[in-house]
Amino acid sequence: MDPFRIDIPESQLDDLRRRIASTRWPVTVSGPGWERGVPVGYLRELADYWQSDYDWRAAERELNRYPQFTTEIDGANVHFLHIRSAESGARPLLLTHGWPGSIVEFLDVIGPLTDPRAHGGDPGDAFHLVIPSLPGHGFSGPITEPGWDVRRVARAWAELMHRLDYDSYVTAGGDWGSIISLELGRVASRHVSGAHVTMLLTTPSGDPEEMAGLSDSDSARLAELGRFDAEMSAYMRVQSTRPLTIGYGLNDSPAGQLAWIVEKFYEWNKAVKSPEEEVGRDRLLTNASIYWLTGTATSSAQLYCESAAYLGALFTPGVSPEPVEVPLGVAVFGQDPALPIRSFAERDFGPIEHWTEYERGGHFAAMEQPEHFVTDLRTFARSLPGR
């Protein structure tokens, strides 16, 4: 394993600023707000801030506060943060981000999770953290080899934890991080003591009696999932089928890539005016900058293409996922557009050891509600053997 430090050449930052300055902005229909995509006025103002006022070097210093490494696993150069707690009884925790997220998702929870004593918590709740960048994403990319689907990533994570000499660990995440955490519970069940997720896709079986027994709130969740599939899943269909075609524009235009990313932070936390209602502007831009500066807009989309059949099954009524034979914890954040239905979840996964619902917070829970995210993880981990 090789120590790693982020050090982007100034020439790349100059190129980013030049490209933003020369953006050819579209002429569009006035007045629809976010209904047809990211409003030009909002994106121009955000891009201007990115060009003139955003400080990448400050973000770089923050990221470089934490020990980072790279190691080759199954042909991919995997980048990860590894922060060991000073507490002797700390247990290992593997945190996996999603798309269009990055390791930035977890910056606000590193301190409380590794050093609860310094953050008003119980030292017995401390974790050693391993936070990898997904293959093809950020500093783990780009990748050029096909075949990096969900199961391959899970196997790579199992190998990473083995190399770090962690025989038993908790795994957690949101978006792809949730899916991969569940998959890790399948491929490495002897080593995963529990899986904690903030996204759990649940679909009906097709049984009329099951549908008739739904509460009004669960029926509303099912309708919202249908709306997500019908109105907000275009990105998934494009990246699952034509990742290279969309990649040309994303890789060449910072404004195009920024729009592709910030739209999800707006829609997936049910923001009213802008995604900055839940995630700070600089955090948004640090996340977008990682994609831009590593040139991984295209290779990150490949995970959707490689996992297209897996995703199709998740959205198909009556198709049950493979069992996960490790304790499962679910934190439901109410502003996420794809909320799980507990009766469906228990039908598919069996008894769920831990289930919590929060009114605030959306798809990027660790960024939007770091205190709730930390509290929920701690509570779940306390219920697991070996504390």
Side-chain angles (χ1 to χ4, degrees):
M1 295 191 182
D2 299 314
F4 180 84
R5 185 174 178 81
I6 302 169
D7 186 14
I8 299 297
E10 191 65 29
S11 59
Q12 284 189 244
L13 302 179
D14 290 339
D15 177 67
L16 170 61
R17 298 182 191 107
R18 178 185 61 79
R19 287 172 181 266
I20 295 173
S22 60
T23 300
R24 188 171 70 168
W25 295 99
V27 177
T28 185
V29 176
S30 62
W34 288 76
E35 295 169 10
R36 301 185 185 186
V38 184
V40 174
Y42 172 74
L43 195 70
R44 287 193 74 155
E45 197 272 330
L46 184 61
D48 286 346
Y49 179 85
W50 197 11
Q51 177 196 7
S52 303
D53 299 310
Y54 170 73
D55 187 351
W56 165 257
R57 295 301 181 198
E60 201 174 61
R61 287 191 296 273
E62 182 180 12
L63 288 162
N64 283 333
R65 286 169 48 199
Y66 304 109
Q68 299 172 65
F69 304 86
T70 60
T71 187
E72 184 176 321
I73 302 176
D74 196 14
N77 189 48
V78 174
H79 162 263
F80 62 98
L81 279 63
H82 185 201
I83 308 104
R84 287 189 60 85
S85 173
E87 301 294 343
S88 60
R91 64 192 308 164
L93 171 62
L94 174 63
L95 291 173
T96 305
H97 67 83
W99 183 91
S102 66
I103 55 173
V104 173
E105 289 185 41
F106 302 114
L107 286 178
D108 293 330
V109 302
I110 290 175
L113 288 174
T114 57
D115 190 6
R117 188 190 302 269
H119 293 80
D122 180 351
D125 289 326
F127 295 95
H128 303 306
L129 296 183
V130 179
I131 309 175
S133 299
L134 287 168
H137 295 62
F139 300 103
S140 287
I143 52 171
T144 58
E145 183 184 52
W148 276 98
D149 60 3
V150 166
R151 178 152 291 193
R152 188 170 175 181
V153 175
R155 287 176 174 151
W157 278 194
E159 173 61 20
L160 174 62
M161 298 303 278
H162 171 71
R163 292 185 188 183
L164 292 171
D165 202 27
Y166 291 135
D167 185 63
S168 177
Y169 48 89
V170 180
T171 182
D175 192 80
W176 280 122
S178 290
I179 294 172
I180 290 164
S181 293
L182 294 175
E183 194 64 26
L184 193 57
R186 297 183 180 107
V187 303
S189 58
R190 290 194 304 110
H191 303 284
V192 175
S193 58
H196 182 277
V197 300
T198 59
M199 182 190 81
L200 193 66
L201 293 174
T202 57
T203 54
S205 65
D207 182 353
E209 291 187 11
E210 180 182 68
M211 296 297 294
L214 291 180
S215 66
D216 290 344
S217 61
D218 283 343
S219 295
R221 289 184 178 189
L222 191 58
E224 186 70 7
L225 181 62
R227 190 177 81 84
F228 175 86
D229 189 41
E231 299 179 22
M232 293 188 283
S233 63
Y235 77 95
M236 186 189 306
R237 300 181 195 283
V238 171
Q239 295 189 156
S240 295
T241 58
R242 300 294 185 273
L244 183 56
T245 303
I246 188 65
Y248 289 111
L250 301 180
N251 197 60
D252 192 58
S253 167
Q257 186 200 252
L258 185 62
W260 197 243
I261 289 175
V262 300
E263 179 183 71
K264 307 313 165 199
F265 280 85
Y266 172 79
E267 289 188 335
W268 295 353
N269 65 31
K270 297 183 181 177
V272 177
K273 294 182 179 179
S274 85
E276 296 165 49
E277 294 168 17
E278 298 294 335
V279 178
R281 171 169 288 198
D282 284 357
R283 278 282 188 262
L284 281 173
L285 291 174
T286 297
N287 185 70
S289 295
I290 287 177
Y291 279 88
W292 178 262
L293 296 171
T294 59
T296 52
T298 308
S299 64
S300 64
Q302 298 292 338
L303 182 54
Y304 283 88
C305 188
E306 301 289 355
S307 304
Y310 191 102
L311 289 172
L314 289 178
F315 283 92
T316 302
V319 177
S320 296
E322 293 180 48
V324 179
E325 296 180 357
V326 301
L328 178 59
V330 182
V332 180
F333 288 84
Q335 291 170 272
D336 195 312
L339 298 176
I341 294 173
R342 184 162 188 172
S343 60
F344 292 179
E346 293 187 329
R347 177 201 66 208
D348 290 339
F349 296 99
I352 294 173
E353 282 75 5
H354 174 85
W355 183 288
T356 314
E357 304 221 0
Y358 298 96
E359 183 177 349
R360 289 200 59 79
H363 198 70
F364 304 92
M367 296 178 82
E368 298 167 22
Q369 295 292 321
E371 291 185 4
H372 286 329
F373 181 83
V374 168
T375 298
D376 211 80
L377 257 175
R378 287 173 177 169
T379 303
F380 173 61
R382 288 185 203 125
S383 71
L384 301 175
R387 183 175 184 270

